[in-house]
Amino acid sequence: MKKFISNFRAPLGMIFAISAGLIMLMTYVLPLDGLRAIILNIVMIGAAAALVIGVFNLLAVHVKRVEEDNKALGSLVLILALVITFVVTLLQEYTGFYPDWLPGSDWLLTYIQVPVESALMGVMAVTLVYAAARIVTQRPSIFSMIFVLTLLVTMIASTQFGMDSNLGQSVQTFISHGLASGGARGIIIGVALGTIATGLRILMGFDRPYGG
Amino acid sequence: MLIEMTLLDLIGMLVSFVLTVLVLLYAFDDNALFRVAVYLFVGVAAGYASAVALKDVIFPRMFGLERDQLLLVLLWIVLLAMKLSPRTARIGNPAAGLLVGVGAAVAVGGSIQGTLIPQVLAAGDFFAPSLMRQSFQAGFAGQGIGYLIRGLAILVGTVATLAHFHFGAKPAPNQIPQRYHLIEIISKVGQFFIAVTFGVIFAGIYSATLTALVERLAFIYQVIQLFISGL
């Protein structure tokens, strides 16, 4: 059995990764749109299945935590929330008898997901101010000053006072659509080049994130 | 106002009120109640995401497959599930390899077609002769020159930013490898553009988060007001 399992080590995974990747890359160069659609359709099922498997793994980890430590209240809350949301969403979709008086998936999203999400964003407003202040006090340099100055100018320009003034609008346009566009484009191209390099490393077998 | 609400809405409003307060308390200090609220958030998000993946992706797409294809896909999913246990994880390597290989190819193709080529082409948009000709013919020479200056700023910013992330260095005996002098100068210009870009991005994110904070505080105020007036 051990020998059988060891046969499935990285070489086999690498062969699958490289061959599937090369076939997929070929569909970008050659007129093979139909083949690309079939591969993508199947891979989307696999990716969605991987997500579900990942969620089950999360569930298993927290079940283990509850078993080991009876005081793991957070894990217990997570397990209950996960299972209830999962069951309720599927029941609502596939059965016609889900009662109106019970909270459905819309209720869970409206009254739990959205409030926590926007409250977390609200907390971020406080932490961002703290982070900006720390940049100035702890790492003062010409570039941190430029960062804070740009931040202040952009914030002032987006107020009613800034929008009413022609100078404010001109400065805002030059910073946002001129200087920042250049930096943003450089960062976007850099990210794309990094993605290509990482992808090619996987397709050449240098990186094996699938195991082994 | 309270009478018009259903019991479910009323409970929902109270739940979101409590959750909002628990999360906002984090601004003062980390506490156990905040973490419980976040665990609840993660649980609902994970449960909903997996249910949507099943009902909107896996089931509809699997029903469209032929019998042989369906069996292969099921086998693939079973192999992927083998990754759950460290003991059987190796069996799942080929299945994971297939997923990663196609993902890498899509990322490479998508980055070239969707980002690299459009961004490089867009960098030259402001220098289009037709744009200059139109501005000058219409008597707006200043506008044409404005386009040119903006295009130059963007081009210099793009090149300098990319140069800042160039870490190639010239090896020297008994010395720490150093970047070429020209690259170092361009890198400093790039740092200026990156600082400005991050400043603008930060301002945008801060505006969004501030809007969320004001909305949540307004919600808390409304709920308290509603209960005071309702009683």
Side-chain angles (χ1 to χ4, degrees), chain B residues 23-118:
Chain B
V23 174
L24 290 182
L25 278 176
Y26 182 77
F28 301 102
D29 197 11
D30 189 11
N31 59 78
L33 291 172
F34 164 76
R35 268 176 271 148
V36 169
V38 173
Y39 273 109
L40 181 69
F41 170 72
V42 174
V44 173
Y48 190 70
S50 50
V52 167
L54 271 176
K55 76 181 178 73
D56 288 343
V57 183
I58 298 176
F59 292 152
R61 283 174 193 272
M62 272 172 94
F63 291 143
L65 295 175
E66 287 174 20
R67 196 163 155 262
D68 298 347
Q69 288 177 328
L70 185 66
L71 284 173
L72 270 175
V73 170
L74 282 175
L75 176 70
W76 185 30
I77 292 172
V78 170
L79 285 174
L80 275 177
M82 295 288 179
K83 290 295 250 180
L84 274 173
S85 165
R87 268 187 280 175
T88 55
R90 278 180 186 171
I91 301 174
N93 281 351
L98 191 71
L99 194 65
V100 171
V102 175
V106 170
V108 170
S111 294
I112 294 171
Q113 282 188 346
T115 308
L116 209 57
I117 295 172

Side-chain angles (χ1 to χ4, degrees), chain B residues 129-196:
Chain B
S130 57
L131 197 70
M132 293 291 129
R133 207 179 307 124
Q134 274 173 11
S135 301
F136 279 96
Q137 278 173 356
F140 296 116
Q143 196 183 41
I145 293 166
Y147 280 136
L148 208 62
I149 293 169
R150 206 200 289 183
L152 269 174
I154 293 174
L155 192 64
V156 170
T158 306
V159 174
T161 304
L162 281 170
H164 177 65
F165 294 107
H166 173 83
F167 293 110
K170 192 180 176 184
N174 302 326
Q175 276 184 345
I176 299 166
Q178 285 193 324
R179 290 207 282 195
Y180 291 102
H181 192 60
L182 183 65
I183 295 284
E184 197 62 43
I185 294 167
I186 302 173
S187 164
K188 292 283 177 210
V189 179
Q191 250 180 302
F192 165 77
F193 278 95
I194 291 167
V196 171

Side-chain angles (χ1 to χ4, degrees), chain A residues 19-29 36 39-40, chain B residues 101-102 105-106:
Chain A
S19 46
L22 288 181
I23 292 169
M24 192 64 200
L25 270 186
M26 265 165 52
T27 64
Y28 280 101
V29 186
R36 190 197 305 170
I39 295 173
L40 282 180
Chain B
V102 175
V106 170

